[in-house]
């Protein structure tokens, strides 16, 4: 049990302990002694509901227990279960989970799972004056700072101020310091803009009445906003100078804590003075361990007098384990499950009804959106598009929106804001609106579709909105109006989307058009005068010829620079377009690579030329080719295994969908003959299927795995043995010679936590396993019923090992870890493995690893990329290809039997098959193009470049 298990689970556990002390009599024997059914007695100790007093006392008496003591215990548990959960001020029962919203300081009593990290940050703050707390979006940085760090600092009676930079960080800093000093924010803004020592001086003045050892702790949450929302480089640099100066000056009484998203941490390196103070003061917020996840799941429920079903705990931990940025989704899914609770219990059935981790937020958003009227839906769409800051080489992020940017005079606008806020999709305050969490951007398909439908149009609209704000801030100065190309682009876009402009934006655009008309008239007058000067131009002809040579040279250099910039941008956009328009994406990548043949455009080209793209409703955990390479199996979070015919071109045919009605399917594997398929399921069962006819799979057997979800399955090379890995930290070997009657051979118990994967050696005598306990292990299974552990590999220090693979010749082992590396090992003598090389390059934890059939290349997956390595010399591996098509985490990789293709899958709900011969792939890129790039499309992506499509007409 976890520390958050409720009274009902503790009762059930103690009842089972009583039976153990009585010699563990079978339930049939207990039924004979008590005259109650075996179902009633097993249910009494099952922990799902409290049994009747009569059944409970009969159970205790049959196990020689103290009936009087147990009767008192039963009444105490019954009373505790009957207590109402905490209620809000309005009388409604308060949810124990905060959902998508970040924890605030008032939520500290229900903030769990981060004790060790809170202490690490607290210690860092007291040791250093400048600390950066770095983590992916959704990793829990804001909650850690507000509900974890602030209460810890408060114990020392130090003053604390919290701010977010927003669009004008100096103004926000002035507002924050005004509360400390009592000065007016307007005066402070002028002071901060004029003197880099202003913050240092103001903090010392504000702390004059505090003890000398007390410092002000300034928490700058969502620090990345200085890059996404602040458009003035000068203000950004000034703000950083103020913070660095105030923490490094003699007599400093300020300590700064930055909360910054990991994908923006690289932006900090552009400021040398910031780099200097951050060198030794960084805390990385990673994914939670399984025990920490259990605390997050169970402790808030226990405090509210609720219990969390064990099956729900196991499912949540399995689906969230190792995923960066999943915490708000877990909290939201738990909040939605709480709404569907059964009495005082949060159940797995309620969790599935809510849509699960990825589906709960999408379900909430979609349900709220559909409930709006048609007019309100149009307004809601415009609102959400304004609330997203489009990424430039990074993921899209949320954008804080000032109320002045919207037309709020309509009743529909107010109604939409209220309904979205009640659903906790947005947060409102007196002057601004923002999305509750960026998880909504990634997991609501409707919003993702809006964002990809016309990204260029969204950028045009955002630029128009910013220009309107600047124009109004300059008292409608004509010099701030659009002219030329910018005005033409804005006018064309507004003509196609007139209902998306606010009144202030329309006023700005009309002023631009009026100014253009006036300038055009003035230009015509000047033209008449210029014609009179034609004679003079003839005299200057010789000078013009001389300068032309220089101009041509300059224009060529400028064109090359322009082409490189355009190619870089188009390469990124092509990857995003691949999901919706493969022909367009491939031709854009080809043209970009032709304009600027760089590694970046080549990777984009390879990613958009993948010959097969599979889309499913949920994340795809595992992929595997059949031995003949004609069928691909995918295991998915939508509770299915699907079989695909991948012999044709780009779009595969679905042959069959194998349902698993109750839980996620984590793993899948074909036997060496291709007649059997094994599936690993979150409902604690391994299933074997006859796929002789892949269009009509037949279930042959179901192998139970006690009460633990199964992560992975793999057949031995002779197909007679099946290895399964589980959430319980065990590996089970089963004899499947007769697949209709599998028998258990043994259970390997060396790991101390979740085992993610296993791999046989080619001769079937050795097994390698990888687990959460930060080790990979090697076993001798020559005699499967008496396995022997040969070695434990611990090089992936401090991180889980997710993937493991053995080379075709059996001499090498590859491991993939959460420390962003893969490692190669010489296992010629498996008792003494020797590390050959460490493969670096991924920027996130690695999940999958696979050798090519010839053993000359290795594929790894992690973050948003898969990479192919040349390991001809295993001591000096070289990166060969980066596959960048996926938009979120890539979970698994699998080579085809002939090694000519690589399949990848991940959290973006897609599987891709990419040929490994990239030179041939590029040479034949136009073979599958059906619709040629049009002049309109060309001009949109390659302005000012002569129309020259890469593929000939068909």
């Amino acid at each position: 049990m976890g520390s958050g298990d409720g009274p009902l689970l503790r009762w059930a556990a103690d009842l089972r302990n009583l039976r153990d002390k009585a010699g563990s009599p079978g339930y049939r024997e207990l039924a004979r002694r008590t005259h109650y059914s075996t179902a009633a007695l097993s249910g009494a100790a099952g922990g799902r509901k409290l049994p009747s007093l009569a059944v409970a006392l009969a159970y205790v008496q049959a196990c020689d227990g103290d009936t009087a003591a147990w009767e008192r215990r039963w009444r105490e548990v019954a009373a505790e279960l009957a207590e109402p959960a905490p209620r809000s001020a309005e009388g409604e029962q308060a949810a124990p989970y905060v959902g998508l919203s970040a924890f605030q300081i008032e939520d500290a009593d229900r903030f769990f799972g981060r004790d060790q990290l809170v202490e690490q940050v607290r210690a860092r703050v007291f040791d250093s004056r400048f600390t950066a707390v770095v983590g992916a979006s959704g990793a829990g940085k804001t909650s850690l700072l507000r509900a974890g760090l602030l209460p810890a600092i408060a114990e020392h009676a130090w003053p604390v101020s919290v701010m977010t930079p927003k669009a004008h960080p100096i103004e926000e800093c002035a507002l924050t310091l005004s509360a400390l000093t009592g000065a007016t924010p307007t005066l402070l803004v002028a002071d901060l803009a004029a003197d880099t020592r202003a913050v240092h001086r103001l903090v010392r003045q504000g702390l004059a009445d505090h003890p000398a050892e007390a410092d002000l702790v300034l928490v700058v949450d969502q620090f990345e906003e200085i890059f996404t929302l602040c458009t003035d480089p000068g203000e950004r640099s000034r703000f950083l100078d103020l913070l660095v100066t105030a923490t490094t000056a003699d007599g400093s009484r300020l300590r700064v804590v930055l909360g910054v998203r990991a994908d923006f941490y690289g932006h900090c390196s552009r400021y040398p003075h910031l780099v200097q103070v951050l060198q030794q003061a960084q805390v990385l917020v990673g994914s939670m361990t399984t025990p920490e996840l259990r605390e997050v799941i169970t402790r808030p429920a226990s405090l509210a007098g609720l219990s969390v079903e064990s099956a729900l705990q196991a499912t949540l931990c399995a689906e969230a384990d190792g995923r960066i940025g999943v915490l708000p989704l877990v909290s939201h899914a738990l909040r939605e499950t709480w709404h569907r609770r059964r009495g005082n219990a949060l159940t797995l059935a309620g969790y599935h009804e809510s849509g699960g981790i990825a589906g709960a937020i999408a379900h909430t958003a979609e349900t709220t959106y559909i409930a709006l009227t048609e007019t309100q839906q149009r307004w809601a769409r415009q609102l959400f598009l304004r609330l997203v800051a489009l990424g430039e080489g990074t993921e899209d992020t949320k954008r804080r929106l000032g109320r002045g940017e919207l037309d709020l005079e309509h009743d529909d606008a107010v109604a939409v804001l209220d309904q979205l806020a009640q659903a906790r999709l947005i947060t409102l305050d007196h002057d601004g609106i923002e999305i509750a969490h960026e998880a909504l951007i990634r997991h609501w398909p409707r919003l993702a579709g809006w964002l990809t439908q016309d990204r260029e149009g969204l950028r045009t609209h955002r630029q128009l909105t910013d220009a309107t704000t600047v124009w109004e801030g300059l008292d409608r100065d004509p010099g701030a109006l659009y002219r030329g190309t910018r005005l033409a682009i804005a006018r064309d876009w507004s003509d196609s989307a007139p209902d998306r402009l606010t009144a202030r934006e329309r006023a700005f655009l009309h002023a631009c058009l009026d100014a253009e008309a006036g300038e055009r008239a003035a230009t015509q007058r000047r033209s008449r005068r210029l014609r009179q000067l034609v004679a003079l131009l003839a005299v200057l002809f010789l000078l013009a010829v001389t300068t032309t040579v220089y101009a041509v040279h300059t224009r060529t250099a400028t064109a090359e620079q322009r082409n490189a910039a355009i190619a870089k941008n188009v390469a990124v956009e092509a990857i995003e377009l691949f999901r919706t328009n493969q022909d367009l994406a491939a031709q854009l990548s080809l043209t970009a690579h032709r304009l600027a043949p760089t590694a970046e455009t080549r990777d984009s080209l390879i990613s958009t030329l993948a010959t097969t793209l599979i889309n499913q409703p949920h994340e795809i955990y595992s992929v595997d080719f059949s031995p003949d390479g004609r069928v691909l199996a995918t295991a998915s979070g939508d509770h299915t295994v699907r079989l695909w015919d991948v012999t044709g071109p780009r779009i595969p045919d679905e042959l069959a969908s194998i349902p698993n009605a109750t839980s996620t399917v984590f793993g899948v594997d074909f036997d060496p003959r291709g007649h059997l398929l094994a599936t690993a399921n979150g409902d604690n069962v391994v299933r074997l299927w006859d796929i002789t006819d892949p269009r009509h799979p037949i279930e042959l057997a179901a192998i139970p795995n006690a009460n633990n979800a199964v992560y992975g399955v793999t057949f031995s090379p002779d197909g007679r043995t099946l290895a399964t890995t589980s959430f319980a930290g065990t590996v089970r070997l089963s004899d499947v010679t007769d697949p209709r009657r599998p028998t258990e051979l043994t259970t390997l118990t060396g790991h101390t936590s979740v085992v993610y994967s296993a791999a046989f050696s080619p001769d079937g005598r050795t097994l390698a396993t990888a687990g959460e306990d930060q080790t990979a292990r090697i076993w001798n299974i020559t005699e499967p019923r008496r396995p022997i552990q040969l070695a434990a590999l611990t090089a992936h220090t401090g991180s889980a090992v997710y993937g493991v693979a053995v080379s075709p010749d059996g001499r090498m082992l590859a491991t993939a870890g959460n420390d962003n590396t893969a490692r190669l090992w010489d296992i010629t003598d498996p008792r003494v493995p020797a590390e050959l090389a460490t493969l670096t390059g991924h920027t996130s934890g690695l999940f999958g690893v696979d050798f090519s059939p010839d053993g000359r290349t290795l594929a790894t997956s992690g973050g948003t990329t898969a990479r192919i390595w040349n390991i001809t010399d295993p001591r000096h591996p070289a990166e060969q290809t980066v596959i960048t098509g996926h938009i979120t985490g890539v979970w698994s990789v699998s080579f085809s039997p002939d090694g000519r293709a690589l399949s990848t899958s991940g959290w973006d709900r897609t599987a891709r098959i990419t040929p490994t011969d990239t030179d041939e792939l590029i040479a034949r890129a136009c073979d599958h193009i059906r619709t040629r790039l049009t002049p309109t499309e060309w001009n949109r992506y390659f302005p000012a470049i002569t129309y020259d499509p890469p593929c000939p007409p068909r």
Side-chain angles (χ1 to χ4, degrees):
M1 292 189 302
S3 59
D5 289 331
L8 186 57
L9 292 180
R10 292 194 295 270
W11 157 276
D14 291 344
L15 206 58
R16 292 194 296 272
N17 289 336
L18 177 65
R19 176 169 165 257
D20 292 341
K21 292 178 181 177
S24 299
Y27 280 108
R28 290 186 179 179
E29 173 61 22
L30 291 181
R32 186 188 63 78
R33 298 179 189 177
T34 62
H35 304 294
Y36 282 101
S37 68
T38 57
L41 294 170
S42 63
R48 294 183 180 273
K49 65 179 181 179
L50 187 67
S52 67
L53 179 59
V55 172
L57 294 182
Y59 189 114
V60 170
Q61 187 173 10
C63 294
D64 300 324
D66 184 343
T67 55
W70 278 89
E71 180 176 356
R72 290 193 300 272
R73 174 77 182 283
W74 184 92
R75 296 188 185 280
E76 291 172 356
V77 173
E80 192 170 353
L81 292 177
E83 291 180 0
R87 295 181 178 272
S88 66
E90 292 77 13
E92 297 180 355
Q93 184 172 323
Y97 305 98
V98 299
L100 288 177
S101 302
F103 285 84
Q104 303 300 323
I105 189 168
E106 59 268 20
D107 300 313
D109 59 339
R110 50 178 175 164
F111 179 66
F112 297 106
R114 289 297 197 186
D115 293 347
Q116 184 176 355
L117 193 57
V118 168
E119 176 56 28
Q120 183 181 353
V121 177
R122 187 201 65 80
R124 183 71 71 182
V125 170
F126 282 102
D127 288 342
S128 174
R129 292 197 172 275
F130 216 106
T131 304
V133 177
V134 185
S137 173
K141 302 181 298 299
T142 295
S143 298
L144 173 71
L145 294 174
R146 295 176 185 260
L149 177 63
L150 295 190
I153 297 296
E155 294 177 2
H156 296 268
W158 281 22
V160 177
S161 294
V162 182
M163 63 166 286
T164 54
K166 302 179 184 175
H168 298 287
I170 291 182
E171 290 183 8
E172 297 302 323
C173 185
L175 287 169
T176 302
L177 293 179
S178 66
L180 177 71
T181 62
T184 61
T186 303
L187 293 176
L188 290 183
V189 169
D191 197 6
L192 296 180
D195 184 3
T196 57
R197 293 177 59 85
V199 170
H200 170 62
R201 185 178 63 256
L202 290 170
V203 170
R204 288 177 60 87
Q205 293 173 358
L207 297 184
D209 296 332
H210 289 69
E213 66 276 6
D215 288 344
L216 171 66
V217 178
L218 176 62
V219 177
V220 186
D221 192 16
Q222 300 178 35
F223 182 69
E224 63 273 4
E225 288 183 353
I226 72 167
F227 305 113
T228 61
L229 301 184
C230 178
T231 58
D232 183 353
E235 181 174 2
R236 183 186 308 149
S237 181
R238 166 68 65 174
F239 176 63
L240 295 177
D241 287 341
L242 288 167
L243 296 184
V244 173
T245 300
T247 54
T248 56
D250 292 338
S252 171
R253 298 193 66 181
L254 177 66
R255 296 174 186 268
V256 173
V257 183
L258 305 182
V260 58
R261 265 182 39 180
D263 52 337
F264 285 94
Y265 191 61
H267 291 55
C268 298
S269 63
R270 303 173 186 171
Y271 302 90
H273 52 306
L274 182 59
V275 171
Q276 186 174 1
V277 295
L278 289 179
Q279 290 286 0
Q280 304 298 327
Q282 306 165 30
V283 178
L284 180 63
V285 180
S287 58
M288 282 188 168
T289 64
T290 299
E292 290 173 337
L293 282 171
R294 285 185 178 273
E295 283 197 12
V296 169
I297 295 165
T298 60
R299 292 282 297 279
S302 180
L303 288 177
L306 305 171
S307 63
V308 181
E309 196 175 68
S310 296
L312 174 56
Q313 295 182 38
T315 298
L316 273 172
C317 288
E319 294 185 1
D321 185 67
R323 291 178 62 179
I324 301 290
V326 79
L327 293 181
L329 302 185
V330 171
S331 183
H332 182 72
L334 283 167
R335 186 182 181 91
E336 292 302 309
T337 304
W338 172 82
H339 285 301
R340 297 164 176 81
R341 62 192 180 279
R342 308 294 192 266
N344 283 339
L346 275 66
T347 66
L348 183 61
Y351 171 73
H352 287 311
E353 290 173 12
S354 75
I357 283 182
I361 182 174
H363 176 76
T364 298
E366 191 67 17
T367 301
T368 304
Y369 177 80
I370 292 174
L372 301 175
T373 67
E374 184 176 351
T375 302
Q376 290 173 339
Q377 286 180 353
R378 288 197 298 270
W379 201 90
R381 176 182 179 180
Q382 302 312 319
L383 173 65
F384 278 116
L385 291 178
R386 289 176 182 270
L387 289 171
V388 177
L390 300 179
E392 299 291 345
T394 59
E395 289 187 347
D396 295 341
T397 61
K398 65 180 181 179
R399 168 179 178 260
R400 184 173 176 82
L401 184 65
R403 290 177 180 265
E405 187 176 319
L406 302 172
D407 293 333
L408 295 177
E409 65 273 10
H410 302 297
D411 293 338
D412 282 335
V414 176
V416 169
L417 290 178
D418 288 343
Q419 293 183 54
L420 296 180
Q422 289 175 9
R424 291 182 175 267
L425 299 176
I426 64 173
T427 58
L428 307 174
D429 56 32
H430 67 285
D431 64 349
I433 307 165
E434 63 182 345
I435 289 175
H437 200 280
E438 289 167 353
L440 182 66
I441 302 174
R442 298 191 298 273
H443 293 280
W444 185 18
R446 185 183 295 273
L447 178 54
W450 290 339
L451 292 172
T452 57
Q453 185 176 356
D454 183 16
R455 290 184 74 85
E456 198 59 39
L458 291 177
R459 289 192 174 93
T460 299
H461 188 192
R462 188 61 41 75
Q463 292 166 0
L464 178 63
T465 301
D466 294 340
T468 300
T469 302
V470 172
W471 178 60
E472 292 177 338
L474 296 174
D475 293 330
R476 302 197 170 196
D477 183 354
L481 294 172
Y482 272 178
R483 289 172 173 80
T485 302
R486 296 180 69 189
L487 177 56
I489 293 173
R491 179 178 54 205
D492 292 344
W493 174 83
S494 66
D495 290 343
S496 65
D499 59 331
R500 291 167 62 175
L501 292 175
T502 62
R504 54 195 291 272
E505 291 165 353
R506 280 193 293 270
F508 172 74
L509 193 56
H510 289 158
C512 293
L513 294 173
D514 291 344
E516 181 189 46
E519 290 174 357
R520 187 183 300 116
T523 301
Q524 291 172 351
R525 289 192 297 271
R526 286 195 299 271
S527 297
R528 288 192 295 270
R529 298 190 187 98
L530 290 175
R531 282 195 294 269
Q532 301 169 3
L533 301 176
V534 171
L536 179 61
L537 293 177
V539 177
L540 300 175
F541 175 76
L542 290 177
L543 179 62
V545 171
T546 304
T547 58
T548 297
V549 175
Y550 176 77
V552 169
H553 174 75
T554 303
R555 183 176 61 185
T556 301
T558 302
E560 291 176 353
Q561 296 173 358
R562 177 204 61 193
N563 292 349
I566 292 175
K568 180 179 179 180
N569 292 333
V570 171
V572 174
E573 292 190 40
I575 294 174
E576 298 177 354
L577 281 171
F578 183 68
R579 286 171 166 266
T580 55
N581 192 333
Q582 296 178 18
D583 283 358
L584 178 59
Q587 292 176 88
L588 292 180
S589 292
L590 275 168
T591 305
H593 189 57
R594 187 172 62 184
L595 284 176
T598 64
E600 185 176 10
T601 58
R602 179 183 174 86
D603 290 341
S604 170
L605 178 56
I606 292 170
S607 298
T608 55
L609 293 179
T611 58
T612 302
L613 175 65
I614 295 172
N615 288 285
Q616 291 191 204
H618 289 269
E619 58 269 24
I620 302 176
Y621 288 93
S622 179
V623 290
D624 190 37
F625 282 100
S626 62
D628 62 5
R630 301 178 65 84
V631 178
L632 184 76
T634 60
S636 172
D638 64 359
H639 302 182
T640 66
V641 171
R642 298 176 192 258
L643 301 179
W644 307 85
D645 180 353
V646 293
T647 57
R650 305 170 79 83
I651 305 300
D653 292 326
E654 182 176 333
L655 300 173
S657 176
I658 305 174
N660 182 53
T662 60
S663 186
T664 295
V665 185
F666 292 111
V668 64
D669 193 44
F670 287 94
D671 81 326
R673 296 186 305 157
H675 295 165
L676 288 180
L677 184 73
T679 62
N681 308 302
D683 59 356
N684 314 334
V685 175
V686 175
R687 289 184 168 84
L688 297 177
W689 304 82
D690 182 346
I691 57 165
T692 305
D693 179 359
R695 293 186 182 274
H696 301 93
I698 301 171
E699 184 173 355
L700 300 178
I703 308 173
N705 192 55
N707 292 321
N708 293 290
V710 183
Y711 262 120
V713 287
T714 183
F715 283 98
S716 62
D718 63 5
R720 300 169 63 88
T721 304
L722 182 70
T724 60
T725 64
S726 75
F727 190 81
T730 61
V731 181
R732 174 179 291 184
L733 299 180
S734 300
D735 185 343
V736 292
T737 304
D738 182 354
R740 295 182 182 274
R741 298 176 180 81
T743 59
E744 182 177 353
L745 296 172
T746 189
T747 299
L748 284 61
T749 58
H751 286 278
T752 60
S753 188
V754 183
V755 183
Y756 291 104
S757 60
F760 286 91
S761 62
D763 62 6
R765 297 173 178 270
T766 305
L767 183 73
T769 58
E772 175 72 22
D773 60 358
Q774 305 172 18
T775 68
R777 297 171 186 264
I778 303 175
W779 311 79
N780 183 333
I781 56 170
T782 304
E783 296 183 42
R785 296 186 183 277
R786 291 186 290 276
I788 302 171
Q789 180 174 310
L790 300 177
L793 309 178
T794 60
H796 294 279
T797 306
S799 65
V801 185
Y802 288 106
V804 65
V806 180
S807 64
D809 63 3
R811 299 173 65 86
M812 277 194 296
L813 176 72
T815 58
N818 199 33
D819 59 351
N820 306 355
T821 68
R823 297 172 187 266
L824 288 175
W825 306 82
D826 183 347
I827 56 169
T828 306
D829 182 355
R831 293 168 299 181
V832 189
E835 184 172 354
L836 297 171
T838 300
L839 285 66
T840 60
H842 285 278
T843 58
S844 298
L846 274 68
F847 296 110
V849 62
D850 193 27
F851 285 94
S852 62
D854 63 5
R856 298 173 64 85
T857 56
L858 182 77
T860 58
S861 63
T864 59
T865 67
R867 296 168 189 257
I868 300 178
W869 309 79
N870 185 330
I871 56 168
T872 306
D873 180 358
R875 295 187 180 275
H876 301 91
E879 187 178 281
Q880 183 172 301
T881 303
V882 180
I883 300 174
T884 59
H886 291 274
I887 61 175
T888 56
V890 185
W891 189 260
S892 67
V893 288
S894 177
F895 278 102
S896 62
D898 60 6
R900 295 176 62 84
L902 179 73
S903 178
T904 60
S905 70
W907 297 105
D908 59 355
R909 304 186 292 277
T910 70
R912 294 166 178 261
I913 301 178
T914 305
T916 54
D917 187 344
T918 54
D919 291 335
E920 180 182 357
L921 176 65
I922 294 174
R924 301 177 62 87
C926 291
D927 288 359
H928 302 296
I929 299 300
R930 293 163 294 183
T931 304
R932 196 185 191 205
L933 193 64
T934 67
T936 300
E937 292 169 334
W938 177 277
N939 292 332
R940 178 179 177 184
Y941 293 97
F942 304 101
I945 298 178
T946 303
Y947 176 65
D948 185 15
C951 295
R954 300 181 67 84

